[in-house]
Amino acid sequence: MACSIVMLIGLRFHPIARRGACGKTRVVPHNRSLRVYPWKLEYRHHAGAGNRDERDERPRGKRRVMDTDVIIVGAGPAGLMLAGELRLAGMSPLVLERQPELRQSPKAGGLGGQILQLLRYRGLLEQFEAASTNPHPAPRFPFGGVHLDFTHLADPPLQALSLPQPRLEGLLDERALELGAEVRRGHEVTGVSQNDSTVTASVLGPDGPYQATARYLVGCDGPRSRVRDLARIPFPGTTYPEINRLGQVTVPDSVTEPGDGDLDVPGLGRIRQGFTQTDRGVFAFGSLTSGGLLVQTTEDESAGAGADDDAPMTLTELQDSIRRVLGADLPLQEATRLSRYQFQARQAARYRERRILLAGDAAHLFPATGIGLNVGMLDTVNLAWKLAAAIAGRASAGLLDTYHAERHFAGARGMFQTQAQVALRRGHDPAAEALRDLFGELLTDEQPLRRIGALIAGTDIRYPLPSPSQHPLTGTFAPNLTLHTGQGTTSVAELMHPARPVLLDLADRLDLRDTAQDWRQRVDIHTAETDHRPADALLIRPDAYIAWAAATGEPAGTAAPMLTEALSYWFGTPL
């Protein structure tokens, strides 16, 4: 459900060796060895793994053993992305997933928005595109019953990548394991407790119950998050009554109109691509560039009576729904994707409760497709490096709290535009039709079209940073500048592959490089030239957002102190 928009546009301990997304067996690098004692299992971490030993002077039989740095509950896209990011930051995450195997049901059809640029900044986008059967679909998207068409723009503000969620999770799982994360499948978290220094998860695994302890725990366990409930974090909002059914299907040639792709439904006549409203619901379909159709129905909640939310949807169920909505049978052949869902508009009141944090669908649910994975995976990229700083003892006061401040803000922006979509699509009277027509007419102009595209993509977000710097780039995602250095040509994206902070000097400012020298073990310092430089220097966080910028020609008397303040706030006191 989280990213169905993409399909409408083109329209025991974890074994060391396991099969990857490519089907080959790989050896997972482990950074710790297991020592077995009669009274418990105790992990000893190898030096350099990014962990801090918990010194406990109590007798071994009574001491609490630190199993890992961060426990991640849930091995969906958000949890696996977080695991990989934590490993890049030198931390040891433990992922606990209640399902015994990787999911095979394609809840989402791909990725869209800002997360694609972030994947480019991690050096992963080409790999993800190679796994897609349609890596560059035409940029056409639905928006609350209105169609957004960016195909005439040379640089569309919203792009997508067709990648079924099972394949996406396979790639993220493989990456996390190759980086050294531990993923335990078939391990269900049944309880959580915390104190001033640790958090403990009670787990039911294949071999029985046990406990795991960490410095922090992150709930990435989806809409019905047990972690959120156990932490007593309110999840206010609305569940909309309509039942939505979605299928990627093929139909006989006899019902497809040549040339325009409309459908000729027996006993009903022609149905145009897009949304068709009837007295019994909404039927929508679009042609896929990879072949076949994406078909969707929306009905009143009573039409889903008796359906098990956890049971896979069948082709027969979709056909029955189409018959109820249209009053006629649409012949369907093969289905490569089927899903059923209800829209919800919910956001956690807070993303942090002491040592327990939330990310992904556990933190927010949006009442429209095409945004959930984008926002959820970006949550984890924002969180990982801040958790690492807190665990390593180099975080400034309040750094971890900026996770809630920034990502709750981003989630609220997502809620803003998706609830606007609800208003556009739910009305069925002439006034509602007029509203949709007017909205569609406005979007024929480039400026509002670009603005809506950036809003959906999340590229318009500017975090409300505490820095007094008023440079317009501060708080925004760093642009992918082409950089010319003494070693050749590179880019901002390539500098961000290691997920480390970067001070990028674009004006040969020795004064600013000298200011940053005390942080050189934490911050990579680069000097480069670029065409039409937007600033003299940029301080870029590991999540690729700009923490500080020096205006072109800004005097050292103001630039250096502001840089010192930003370095201290985001990356700790100097070494």
Side-chain angles (χ1 to χ4, degrees), residues 43-311:
Y43 280 108
R44 297 290 190 183
H45 295 269
H46 291 310
N51 291 53
R52 291 145 52 103
D53 291 334
E54 296 295 319
R55 305 296 183 186
D56 195 327
E57 300 302 324
R58 291 177 293 177
R60 279 182 173 173
K62 296 182 179 180
R63 72 175 60 171
R64 179 182 294 275
V65 177
M66 187 71 66
D67 292 298
T68 192
D69 292 322
V70 180
I71 295 171
I72 301 169
V73 183
L80 293 170
M81 186 73 184
L82 178 58
E85 290 289 303
L86 284 169
R87 286 301 300 142
L88 289 176
M91 298 293 109
S92 290
L94 169 63
V95 184
L96 300 173
E97 167 57 50
R98 66 183 182 89
Q99 296 292 339
E101 301 290 341
L102 281 163
R103 298 173 183 85
Q104 295 305 313
S105 57
K107 292 175 60 179
L111 296 171
Q114 185 70 74
I115 188 61
L116 296 180
Q117 188 75 324
L118 191 281
L119 292 174
R120 185 188 306 278
Y121 281 34
R122 290 293 183 263
L124 297 173
L125 185 57
E126 288 187 2
Q127 178 187 0
F128 281 50
E129 288 178 339
S132 169
T133 57
N134 187 23
H136 302 289
R140 299 187 186 95
F141 304 86
F143 186 86
V146 177
H147 291 278
L148 307 181
D149 189 345
F150 300 97
T151 56
H152 62 287
L153 300 180
D155 55 337
L158 177 61
Q159 295 180 324
L161 171 68
S162 297
L163 192 65
Q165 187 163 331
R167 195 172 302 170
L168 169 65
E169 291 186 6
L171 291 168
L172 291 172
D173 180 73
E174 185 169 338
R175 174 181 183 249
L177 292 172
E178 287 176 348
L179 289 171
E182 182 178 1
V183 181
R184 298 182 187 174
R185 298 188 180 275
H187 291 248
E188 182 177 4
V189 173
T190 59
V192 173
S193 62
Q194 59 178 319
N195 57 36
D196 290 341
S197 59
T198 63
V199 58
T200 299
S202 298
V203 188
L204 181 60
D207 298 324
Y210 67 94
Q211 289 189 329
T213 303
R215 299 289 298 280
Y216 292 93
L217 181 146
V218 184
C220 299
D221 50 339
R224 302 174 184 176
S225 171
R226 178 170 288 176
V227 170
R228 185 184 63 234
D229 291 343
L230 291 169
R232 298 183 179 181
I233 298 175
F235 198 43
T238 300
T239 298
Y240 293 97
E242 298 86 1
I243 302 291
N244 301 276
R245 293 176 175 87
L246 189 74
Q248 185 175 339
V249 299
T250 58
V251 297
D253 292 341
S254 60
V255 302
T256 304
E257 292 288 337
D260 56 19
D262 291 345
L263 296 179
D264 186 4
V265 179
L268 186 64
R270 174 176 289 202
I271 297 180
R272 297 191 179 278
Q273 292 197 58
F275 296 83
T276 298
Q277 176 74 40
T278 75
D279 293 338
R280 299 166 297 278
V282 178
F283 171 79
F285 80 95
S287 299
L288 300 169
T289 56
S290 56
L293 301 176
L294 191 72
V295 174
Q296 178 175 319
T297 62
T298 301
E299 300 180 84
D300 184 76
E301 189 173 19
S302 60
D308 182 353
D309 289 344
D310 294 326

Side-chain angles (χ1 to χ4, degrees), residues 11-26:
L11 265 190
R12 358 128 150 112
F13 296 97
H14 199 288
I16 294 177
R18 62 173 287 168
R19 293 191 182 277
C22 61
K24 297 180 180 179
T25 301
R26 65 191 183 281

Side-chain angles (χ1 to χ4, degrees), residues 340-419:
R340 174 200 322 110
Y341 57 91
Q342 281 182 277
F343 282 125
Q344 297 187 56
R346 298 184 182 277
Q347 187 172 21
R350 55 191 181 276
Y351 287 10
R352 181 186 179 193
E353 178 60 36
R354 297 166 62 201
R355 292 185 173 271
I356 298 173
L357 301 102
L358 302 176
D361 287 351
H364 41 66
L365 291 173
F366 302 107
T369 57
I371 179 174
L373 288 182
N374 181 34
V375 178
M377 291 172 69
L378 289 173
D379 286 345
T380 67
V381 176
N382 182 287
L383 175 60
W385 66 274
K386 296 173 183 178
L387 278 177
I391 292 168
R394 60 175 183 268
S396 64
L399 176 65
L400 198 51
D401 288 331
T402 66
Y403 169 64
H404 168 85
E406 294 176 0
R407 294 311 299 170
H408 198 275
F409 169 74
R413 291 289 291 173
M415 199 67 68
F416 167 65
Q417 61 96 352
T418 52
Q419 287 190 307

